[in-house]
Amino acid sequence: MSTSERMRNYRGPVLLSHGFRAFFLISALWAALAMAIWVAMLAGAEILPLAFDPFSWHAHEFLYGYLGGVIAGFLLTAVPNWTGRLPVMGAPLAGLVGLWLLGRAAVGVSALLDWRVVLLADLACGLMLLAFLAREILHGRNWRNLPVLALLGLFAAGNALFHVEAARGDAAFEGMGMRLGLAAGLMLIALIGGRIIPSFTRNWLAARGVQQLPAPFDRGDGLVLGLTGVTLAGFALPDGRAMPWLMLACGAAHLWRLARWQGARTGAEPLLWVLHLAYGFLALGFWAEAAAGLGLMAAAPARHVWLAGAIGLMTLAVMSRASLGHSGRALHAGRGTTALYLALAASVVLRLLAGVLPAQVWLLHLSGTLWVLAFGGFALLYLPVLARPRVAKKPVSGARRTA
């Protein structure tokens, strides 16, 4: 039986028919719930029996919890398209989802467990995903995506190191484990974002007869990725201090790259401009880190340009676009989806203002509230998309036709 026939003959729960369905839904729900818990912690509530300090739990559950789930959903959906092989579905997919949930539960009650048990429970889903990706790349001879495999391995290694640092009593939220995982996540955005953003934009503009299209990948893009790798490697080292001037150069290089992708011409389609905006936060994050390194701003708000801006907005953009496209819906962001993007962008700006005006605690709470609305709103708005069968595509015209 061919791959397409086996997919058509699947009769299990719709949520377990593709990786993006279950993982995008539970990741968005966790992003909203974990932020609500964090806001309550800031107010003094002791909700969970944590072995981690509250700041480390907050950082870990966004980076390795939320982002780990989104990466799983993305790769379980994208890899079969890369290799032409059967996706993980049904009981195996349910097992992966269960392992991810086990990790969240183990970290949430980590004060009640041996730290090694928590580590193994939390690493289980990521290691299984790593094994899946390695198998698919080897069997499909998809050597182009070996860097993705390497970055996924670094992400898992960072998670393990984070647990070790937390068990030692270190401030793991600013340790090497955190920086290594963040560097791997940002490099994935630079690598995969550099493929999909100009591609989606080019197809959309070409369909409208626009002559000025995004520049194709060339040596300049390769140099930017090389500079990014060097800069993020310096960022992830034990002292965590890449030279501020290298950070400034890397940020400028990414803004140059972004400018070549014709983002200013995508204002009519939120599914596109949000990708350009999220990539812009990646570039600005390098500058924010440089400013923090030079003592011009605090480290926490600077780091959130990457965490909430680049990672948060990019994942929300990719989840919404992939959910629509892979479920057969029109690739067009309606008012509800656009409101989610705007709420999250506002949350990022308010988090920066909260860092500049630390006495204005209400800014921090409003930022967290908008974050909860963005990801909780995604879960509510996209539940019918994710939990119902794929619909037959209908021809669309004008502003609703995309690549």
Side-chain angles (χ1 to χ4, degrees):
M1 186 181 294
S2 69
T3 295
S4 59
E5 287 173 333
R6 292 177 68 182
M7 292 176 64
R8 285 195 300 268
N9 289 336
Y10 173 76
R11 294 294 180 268
V14 173
L15 276 174
L16 298 178
S17 62
H18 284 86
F20 77 92
R21 293 182 181 273
F23 271 108
F24 286 177
L25 181 61
I26 61 175
S27 296
L29 287 171
W30 181 237
L33 178 59
M35 180 59 75
I37 294 173
W38 171 240
V39 171
M41 285 180 173
L42 289 177
E46 295 184 7
I47 299 175
L48 300 171
L50 299 173
F52 291 13
D53 66 84
F55 291 97
S56 293
W57 176 83
H58 172 59
H60 181 275
E61 287 308 288
F62 172 72
L63 183 63
Y64 293 113
Y66 165 73
L67 180 58
V70 175
I71 289 174
F74 176 82
L75 290 179
L76 290 170
T77 305
V79 170
N81 291 333
W82 297 345
T83 62
R85 288 166 55 81
L86 185 70
V88 175
M89 59 175 64
L93 178 56
L96 281 173
V97 171
L99 289 176
W100 184 87
L101 291 170
L102 176 65
R104 310 287 58 74
V107 173
V109 298
S110 50
L112 308 178
L113 302 170
D114 185 275
W115 73 270
R116 287 170 284 262
V117 173
V118 178
L119 182 152
L120 291 175
D122 191 34
L123 286 181
C125 180
L127 293 178
M128 290 298 293
L129 184 65
L130 187 63
F132 160 75
L133 182 57
R135 183 194 69 184
E136 296 303 293
I137 286 178
L138 291 174
H139 281 266
R141 298 183 177 274
N142 188 245
W143 312 125
R144 179 193 183 203
N145 287 301
L146 279 175
V148 177
L149 178 64
L151 290 171
L152 189 60
L154 288 175
F155 189 77
N159 193 7
L161 183 56
F162 192 106
H163 281 272
V164 172
E165 290 173 332
R168 291 197 309 237
D170 299 343
F173 67 93
E174 56 185 9
M176 186 178 174
M178 177 69 183
R179 294 193 304 273
L180 182 58
L182 178 56
L186 295 173
M187 196 67 200
L188 280 171
I189 290 177
L191 181 65
I192 297 177
R195 296 179 189 174
I196 65 174
I197 298 173
S199 175
F200 293 159
T201 304
R202 181 181 300 109
N203 293 340
W204 189 82
L205 292 175
R208 283 150 184 77
V210 178
Q211 298 299 314
Q212 195 168 355
L213 302 177
F217 187 96
D218 58 19
R219 183 175 296 178
D221 291 275
L223 290 174
V224 172
L225 290 177
L227 176 62
T228 304
V230 171
T231 304
L232 290 175
F235 169 74
L237 287 175
D239 63 5
R241 295 180 181 178
M243 292 175 54
W245 307 115
L246 190 60
M247 287 279 188
L248 287 172
C250 197
H254 280 286
L255 287 177
W256 168 81
R257 194 184 191 202
L258 181 62
R260 304 169 74 216
W261 294 342
Q262 305 300 322
R265 300 177 183 275
T266 64
E269 182 46 70
L271 279 181
L272 286 173
W273 62 248
V274 70
L275 291 169
H276 291 264
L277 178 60
Y279 198 92
F281 278 123
L282 171 68
L284 294 178
F286 284 100
W287 285 3
E289 285 289 332
L294 294 170
L296 301 177
M297 68 182 299
R303 190 68 45 85
H304 278 78
V305 178
W306 271 342
L307 288 168
I311 294 178
L313 194 57
M314 183 64 78
T315 51
L316 184 63
V318 169
M319 286 195 299
S320 52
R321 183 184 181 95
S323 297
L324 292 173
H326 287 285
S327 63
R329 273 75 174 179
L331 284 172
H332 173 71
R335 292 180 180 178
T337 299
T338 304
L340 300 180
Y341 298 157
L342 295 176
L344 188 54
S347 173
V348 177
V349 173
L350 288 170
R351 180 61 184 86
L352 288 174
L353 288 176
V356 176
L357 304 169
Q360 305 299 318
V361 181
W362 65 271
L363 290 171
L364 203 59
H365 289 279
L366 182 55
S367 173
T369 300
L370 288 172
W371 176 282
V372 172
L373 289 175
F375 286 99
F378 172 87
L380 289 174
L381 187 62
Y382 279 78
L383 177 59
V385 175
L386 297 170
R388 293 177 183 170
R390 178 184 175 90
V391 299
K393 285 190 176 182
K394 297 179 180 180
V396 292
S397 59
R400 290 181 178 267
R401 185 182 298 275
T402 60

